[in-house]
Amino acid sequence: MLGRKVGIIGSGFVGATAAYTLTLIGSCHEVILYDIVPDVARGKAIDIAQSANYSPTGTIVRSASTPSEMSDCDIIVITAGVPRRSEMTRADLLMINAKIIKSVVADVVKYSPNALILCVSNPLDVMTYVIHKLAGIPKNRIIGMAGALDVSRMAYAINQRVGFGPGQTRAIVIGDHGLNMIPYPEISAVGGIPLNQLVSKEDMEAIIKRTKEGGAEIVKYLGTSAYYAPARAISVMVQAMLDDSRIVLPSSVMLEGEYGYEDVCVGVPVVLGSNGVEQIIELDLDEEMKAKFKVSVDSIKENIKILEDNNFFA
């Protein structure tokens, strides 16, 4: 277990729940929480550490008061950022969160130069792109967590429709982590049985709709965004990289010609292992899916252009 050190930047609901989940399943030797408000990280780290007595490996959980106390991590999970408030424009939110990511990335590169970086901050695909542009490390070491969450939401929607197969459902979602995400029921399955042999076309459309609205549905009831499912998605990805499991999960990654696009981060199926992104899997998309994928990519590029127009990368 030595050397399995994971740093989580941002100790809000998602970051802290991810730390707790990793502790619960015993994936790591050490989990370190950091937050711009040190007492928040400290209090949550103590609480989680007090649960570690019952974890399989007695994971060490602690907080960091400064970025330098998160040195030599194997994986850094970035959840830092602010949610959009009513008075903010889209450009306001992009610039605020991009500046936060800029500060975070400088610390990560300085204190954990060999770490794999898992981006969870929103808008996810754009912030993953920002990390690529600022970190100056090989692209395989930077991954955006979106598809793992969207897939679990789609699996839930499928299970609600068919009434069976939890744990056996294999769903696929590609594209951006937003309104233009692309649930892909045609290549999804339950227990190995293609979904189109289990549900009607109308059911498929309902599954797509509920998947795309999965986050909003939770906000409607809670008044805040989800954190249990995102935390579990984070832990699955972290564990895959620590264990070199080479599992296939949609993730936001930098494309360099794949799917016909370059210089953009978007969700596509990848193989996750000890090197981060071991392989990008190119699906054979039909014309309808290609058109949807283009809309998704274009929406991400529009947000990247806002940063460029505001001289963020200058």
Side-chain angles (χ1 to χ4, degrees):
M1 288 293 290
L2 289 176
R4 297 164 70 90
K5 186 176 181 180
V6 176
I8 299 178
I9 300 175
S11 301
F13 285 133
V14 173
T17 309
Y20 175 67
T21 305
L22 288 166
T23 302
L24 194 68
I25 61 180
S27 296
C28 314
H29 173 68
E30 186 174 4
V31 176
I32 309 167
L33 275 172
Y34 174 78
D35 197 89
I36 193 69
V37 182
D39 283 355
V40 169
R42 187 175 297 115
K44 291 186 178 182
I46 292 170
D47 191 13
I48 296 168
Q50 289 173 355
S51 76
N53 183 58
Y54 302 106
S55 76
T57 56
T59 306
I60 296 167
V61 184
R62 64 178 178 87
S63 66
S65 299
T66 64
S68 63
E69 294 174 29
M70 296 186 70
S71 60
D72 301 319
C73 290
D74 297 288
I75 298 175
I76 293 284
V77 181
I78 302 175
T79 71
V82 300
R84 183 172 178 176
R85 297 189 295 270
S86 58
E87 71 274 14
M88 285 183 184
T89 65
R90 181 169 55 152
D92 290 337
L93 179 66
L94 281 166
M95 288 301 294
I96 290 169
N97 280 347
K99 287 176 181 176
I100 291 171
I101 294 298
K102 186 174 187 177
S103 173
V104 166
V105 168
D107 290 329
V108 171
V109 172
K110 182 175 182 180
Y111 298 112
S112 292
N114 298 314
L116 302 173
I117 301 175
L118 181 59
C119 178
V120 188
S121 303
N122 281 316
L124 188 283
D125 303 284
V126 183
M127 293 303 109
T128 304
Y129 179 87
V130 168
I131 295 171
H132 274 280
K133 290 302 178 181
L134 299 179
I137 63 176
K139 72 168 193 169
N140 61 286
R141 287 170 47 197
I142 302 169
I143 309 103
M145 189 290 292
L149 171 59
D150 296 329
V151 158
S152 67
R153 286 176 171 164
M154 184 176 176
Y156 172 78
I158 290 170
N159 296 147
Q160 292 292 296
R161 282 277 159 176
V162 302
F164 56 82
Q168 290 185 298
T169 303
R170 300 293 174 261
I172 292 290
V173 180
I174 61 174
D176 70 295
H177 182 54
L179 295 175
N180 297 303
M181 73 171 68
I182 310 166
Y184 207 158
E186 292 83 359
I187 59 172
S188 300
V190 180
I193 300 171
L195 186 59
N196 60 10
Q197 296 189 30
L198 297 173
V199 301
S200 66
K201 185 172 178 58
E202 291 73 21
D203 281 336
M204 279 196 181
E205 292 301 321
I207 288 166
I208 290 171
K209 184 175 186 293
R210 190 163 192 189
T211 302
K212 295 177 77 166
E213 297 175 354
E217 181 181 10
I218 292 167
V219 171
K220 181 177 75 172
Y221 294 115
L222 288 184
T224 186
S225 55
Y227 44 96
Y228 292 118
R232 183 59 179 132
I234 290 167
S235 70
V236 167
M237 295 181 75
V238 167
Q239 191 165 18
M241 291 185 280
L242 289 174
D243 293 345
D244 194 25
S245 300
R246 300 181 70 83
I247 65 172
V248 177
L249 269 179
S251 305
S252 186
V253 295
M254 178 68 80
L255 298 186
E256 293 181 338
E258 298 90 353
Y259 292 88
Y261 295 96
E262 292 187 0
D263 197 36
V264 66
C265 290
V266 64
V268 294
V270 306
V271 178
L272 282 179
S274 60
N275 294 309
V277 180
E278 303 283 352
Q279 178 184 342
I280 294 175
I281 297 174
E282 288 196 66
L283 299 172
D284 184 13
L285 305 180
D286 61 25
E287 293 306 312
E288 181 182 357
M289 292 302 289
K290 285 180 181 177
K292 289 180 179 180
F293 195 72
K294 183 180 186 304
V295 169
S296 195
V297 169
D298 286 347
S299 69
I300 297 167
K301 287 190 171 184
E302 285 174 12
N303 284 329
I304 293 171
K305 190 173 187 306
I306 289 173
L307 294 179
E308 291 172 342
D309 290 345
N310 282 274
N311 299 314
F312 177 78
F313 299 107

